[in-house]
């Protein structure tokens, strides 16, 4: 990783130093003027111990709860795959491409709403925003269990996409307002591992729920939607108490801990979320930033495979000859492996800051998995391919978004960028919804081939492009070729440059 570059000098002779530990720069002393130091007079060892205790306390409050929310979110958007194998299509008279259309309409509203959700989160606060959308999508999911025809299912899927759109980009933005850049990846990986766990849990839950066939006059697939929707509503009722807007408002922290939390973020050159006012300039900054679009390219390569796998794994397993409860249970192990791999890659990338290299290796693993699915007719080989495919898809999602968040300074610009990247990536859910076609059963040439192409061209190729461009820019900054950007500027003007500042060193 980068060595120290302590010789970038602003107009007033002020040295802005790059810290190796945070891969960023130290803030000028004035940045702390309004925040008393609760640890004045303490040794470095005491400060480190208090900092570690603070991070652990934040972890214990945020990560389990946010992971639960995402588990429910992913469960509710993908349980239609389990319902399909439990005779959803026959239950409401679906024919032809009706099932694919039900998948597609979700992603149109979901992806369309995502770029603006972080602006709404900032406007109405995380507590109000998260509580509202969670209860709303839980109600919609419950109602989905009562639909009688294709039109009703399409309406529910549309509104489900609209209400779920804000959770994933919102939580990634929200986490970046609590953690330093080198801490974010592991927490984002823990959070996103809930998506893989949702696959495992969803299979087990569906296997149990479909045994309720006929209870209350409802088919088993209806009970999948109803019970999982009610579970989401129940959890959503507690969201108001569990979500605090930002570290300065967190009542689970002591006053001294709130000060420490704010000071440590400023030391990492993270602009205070409460300082930034909603403005169109942040939208334009994100749109004009080349990093937005290379990360969007990568994220295409993450999400088309992700949704193809999560929506069609039961269908793929059905093509291998599995059926009924055994089919649901056979979907569990690949997701368990994916969850473990996601957490490991998050931990590894935080420790080494090798986010680009991590994406490259893992994406190639996924390519091998889908090559096995595409090239073999042996069910055992194909099933092995699902493990490699899952392990090669899931870790890249939090790693890519963390990489993007690491390389943007300013909470609102970061929020807009994440929204654009996630929204663009989720548009490819429309592709995922339409590439696994019943006439191609059991080999699904179009589906497996498309996923393989996305992973190699967009994910692997996009990662290589991003890595090379970031390394080049870091070299220019470390050799002083970007110093002209701060000439003649005041301290505040330099700070306002955000990640354009020559002392901001990118994570590669």
């Amino acid at each position: 990783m980068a060595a120290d570059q302590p010789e970038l000098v602003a107009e007033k002779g002020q040295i802005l130093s790059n810290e190796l530990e945070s891969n960023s720069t130290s803030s000028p002393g004035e940045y702390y003027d309004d925040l008393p130091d609760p640890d004045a007079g303490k040794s470095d060892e005491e400060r480190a111990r208090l900092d570690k205790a603070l991070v652990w306390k934040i972890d214990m409050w945020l990560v389990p709860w946010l992971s639960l929310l995402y588990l429910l979110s992913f469960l509710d958007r993908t349980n239609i795959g389990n319902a399909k194998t439990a005779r959803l299509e026959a239950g409401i008279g679906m024919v032809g491409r009706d099932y694919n259309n039900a998948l597609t309409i979700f992603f149109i509203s979901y992806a369309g709403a995502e770029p603006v959700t972080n602006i709404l989160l900032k406007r109405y606060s995380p507590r109000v925003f998260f509580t509202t959308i969670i209860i709303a999508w839980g109600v919609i999911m419950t109602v989905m269990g009562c639909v009688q025809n294709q039109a009703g299912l399409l309406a529910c899927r549309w509104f489900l996409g609209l209400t779920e759109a804000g959770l994933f980009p919102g939580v990634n933005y929200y986490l970046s307002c609590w953690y330093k850049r080198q801490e974010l990846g592991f927490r984002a990986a823990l959070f996103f591992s809930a998506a893989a766990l949702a696959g495992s849990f969803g299979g087990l839950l569906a296997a149990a729920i479909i045994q309720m066939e006929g209870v209350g006059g409802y088919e088993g697939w209806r009970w999948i939607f109803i019970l999982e929707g009610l579970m989401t509503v129940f959890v959503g009722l507690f969201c108001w108490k569990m979500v605090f807007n930002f570290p300065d408002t967190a009542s689970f922290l002591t006053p001294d801990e709130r000060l420490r939390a704010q000071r440590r973020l400023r030391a990492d050159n993270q602009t205070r979320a409460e300082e930034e006012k909603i403005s169109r300039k942040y939208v334009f900054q994100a749109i004009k930033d080349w990093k937005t679009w290379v990360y969007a390219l990568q994220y295409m390569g993450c999400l088309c495979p992700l949704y193809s796998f999560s929506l069609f794994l039961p269908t793929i397993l059905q093509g291998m000859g599995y059926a009924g409860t055994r089919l649901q249970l056979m979907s569990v192990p690949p997701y368990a492996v994916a969850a473990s791999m996601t957490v490991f890659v998050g931990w590894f990338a935080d420790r080494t800051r090798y986010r680009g290299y991590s994406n490259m290796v893992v994406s190639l693993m996924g390519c091998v998995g889908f090559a096995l699915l595409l090239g073999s007719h042996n069910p055992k080989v194909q099933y092995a391919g699902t493990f490699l495919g899952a392990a090669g898809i899931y870790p890249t999602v939090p790693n890519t978004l963390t990489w993007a968040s690491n390389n943007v300074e300013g909470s609102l610009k970061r929020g807009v960028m994440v929204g654009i990247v996630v929204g663009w990536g989720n548009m490819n859910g429309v592709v995922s919804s339409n590439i696994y076609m019943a006439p191609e059963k059991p080999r699904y040439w179009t589906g497996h081939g498309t996923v393989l192409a996305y992973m190699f061209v967009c994910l692997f190729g996009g990662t290589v492009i991003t890595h090379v461009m970031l390394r080049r820019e870091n070299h220019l900054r470390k050799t002083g070729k970007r110093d002209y950007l701060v000439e003649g500027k005041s301290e505040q003007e330099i700070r306002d440059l955000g990640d354009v500042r020559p002392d901001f060193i990118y994570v590669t």
Side-chain angles (χ1 to χ4, degrees):
M1 293 303 297
D4 287 347
Q5 297 291 329
E7 299 180 356
L8 296 171
V9 184
E11 182 187 33
K12 297 182 179 180
Q14 183 179 30
I15 297 178
L16 303 176
S17 63
N18 175 48
E19 294 182 358
L20 176 62
E21 179 60 26
S22 66
N23 203 33
S24 181
T25 50
S26 299
S27 298
E30 291 86 343
Y31 204 15
Y32 294 104
D33 281 353
D34 62 327
L35 289 177
D37 185 357
D39 304 318
K42 290 186 172 65
S43 67
D44 290 343
E45 291 76 13
E46 290 173 313
R47 286 177 179 270
R49 186 170 62 252
L50 288 168
D51 188 71
K52 184 177 181 180
L54 172 63
V55 173
W56 177 254
K57 193 170 184 179
I58 293 173
D59 284 343
M60 290 300 98
W61 188 274
L62 292 186
V63 176
W65 179 254
L66 295 175
S67 297
L68 174 61
L69 297 184
Y70 195 59
L71 185 150
L72 294 173
S73 169
F74 214 80
L75 187 65
D76 288 346
R77 83 183 62 163
T78 59
N79 58 12
I80 191 171
N82 300 108
K84 176 176 179 283
T85 59
R87 300 194 297 276
L88 162 67
E89 292 172 303
I92 60 173
M94 298 171 78
V95 296
R97 296 189 55 80
D98 282 353
Y99 177 72
N100 298 88
N101 293 338
L103 301 181
T104 301
I105 198 169
F106 170 89
F107 291 106
I108 294 173
S109 60
Y110 185 82
E114 275 183 319
V116 300
T117 54
N118 279 346
I119 297 175
L120 294 175
L121 183 151
K122 175 70 176 180
R123 182 181 181 88
Y124 294 108
S125 81
R127 170 175 280 175
V128 171
F129 182 77
F130 288 138
T131 302
T132 301
I133 64 171
I134 291 159
I135 293 176
W137 96 59
V139 170
I140 293 165
M141 175 54 55
T142 305
V143 171
M144 196 184 302
C146 303
V147 298
Q148 299 299 319
N149 50 44
Q150 174 73 354
L153 181 63
L154 291 176
C156 286
R157 292 286 295 178
W158 167 271
F159 285 108
L160 184 67
L162 206 61
T163 50
E164 283 202 14
L167 184 69
F168 189 62
V171 168
N172 277 278
Y173 162 66
Y174 184 62
L175 287 173
S176 71
C177 296
W178 289 78
Y179 292 102
K180 290 183 178 181
R181 292 196 292 165
Q182 78 270 20
E183 298 166 345
L184 185 58
F186 182 56
R187 277 77 187 178
L190 287 172
F191 162 69
F192 186 73
S193 67
L197 293 176
S200 293
F201 183 57
L204 291 171
L205 196 57
I209 292 176
I210 59 176
Q211 305 305 316
M212 294 178 66
E213 179 79 27
V215 174
Y218 279 7
E219 299 100 313
W221 65 265
R222 292 187 185 276
W223 283 114
I224 292 175
F225 293 148
I226 292 171
L227 293 182
E228 293 179 5
L230 290 174
M231 183 166 56
T232 298
V233 172
F234 177 77
V235 171
L237 295 175
F238 292 91
C239 199
W240 186 271
K241 290 288 187 182
M242 295 298 297
V243 174
F244 293 93
N245 291 335
F246 296 107
D248 59 311
T249 66
S251 64
F252 71 91
L253 299 177
T254 67
D256 282 355
E257 287 171 337
R258 288 197 287 272
L259 287 172
R260 287 189 197 108
Q262 294 173 79
R263 288 175 64 88
R264 71 193 306 275
L265 291 177
R266 296 192 198 182
D268 197 44
N269 267 336
Q270 295 195 40
T271 305
R272 287 171 287 184
E274 67 272 18
E275 283 184 340
E276 295 185 319
K277 305 300 181 185
I278 295 173
S279 170
R280 283 179 294 181
K281 76 175 182 179
Y282 299 109
V283 177
F284 294 132
Q285 284 177 1
I287 290 174
K288 291 188 293 184
D289 193 330
W290 64 270
K291 299 191 301 294
T292 300
W293 304 108
V294 291
Y295 284 122
L297 174 66
Q298 287 182 57
Y299 210 58
M300 288 172 60
C302 297
L303 289 207
C304 178
L306 173 72
Y307 287 124
S308 297
F309 190 88
S310 59
L311 291 170
F312 289 98
L313 181 60
T315 301
I316 294 168
L317 293 175
Q318 198 172 47
M320 296 179 194
Y322 302 108
T325 300
R326 189 182 182 201
L327 183 153
Q328 305 289 357
L329 295 177
M330 290 295 287
S331 70
V332 173
Y335 285 118
V337 169
S340 301
M341 190 69 174
T342 299
V343 173
F344 171 75
V345 170
W347 170 83
F348 176 80
D350 268 2
R351 297 269 298 193
T352 63
R353 301 188 184 91
Y354 291 163
R355 300 209 180 277
Y357 292 127
S358 296
N359 258 14
M360 292 178 209
V361 172
V362 172
S363 62
L364 288 178
M365 182 190 305
C367 288
V368 172
F370 277 90
L372 293 178
L373 283 165
L374 187 64
S376 177
H377 57 78
N378 185 325
K380 293 182 179 179
V381 174
Q382 289 181 322
Y383 190 57
T386 66
F387 283 85
L388 290 174
I393 294 169
Y394 281 81
T396 64
V397 176
N399 189 56
T400 300
L401 285 183
T402 301
W403 195 11
S405 295
N406 283 170
N407 288 330
V408 182
E409 184 177 279
S411 67
L412 281 179
K413 180 187 175 184
R414 184 165 60 245
V416 174
M417 173 189 268
V418 169
I420 292 172
V421 170
V422 173
W424 182 263
N426 274 301
M427 280 300 295
N428 292 272
V430 175
V431 178
S432 303
S433 303
N434 292 283
I435 56 178
Y436 281 86
M437 297 173 284
E440 295 186 351
K441 178 182 178 180
R443 299 300 297 278
Y444 299 108
W445 304 101
T446 302
H448 297 330
T450 302
V451 170
L452 180 58
Y454 262 81
M455 293 197 74
F456 186 74
V457 176
C458 300
L459 180 51
F460 177 76
T463 297
V464 172
I465 292 170
T466 307
H467 178 77
V468 170
M469 292 176 71
L470 290 175
R471 285 180 63 90
R472 176 181 180 276
E473 181 60 27
N474 281 349
H475 175 72
L476 293 174
R477 294 182 179 198
K478 293 173 186 178
T479 54
K481 295 179 181 178
R482 297 295 192 215
D483 288 2
Y484 69 89
L485 294 170
V486 299
E487 293 174 359
K489 289 183 169 59
S490 67
E491 292 171 14
Q492 185 58 49
E493 288 173 329
I494 293 172
R495 191 176 301 139
D496 288 343
L497 289 173
D499 52 87
V500 177
R501 287 196 331 269
D503 63 316
F504 187 99
I505 303 301
Y506 292 123
V507 175
T508 61

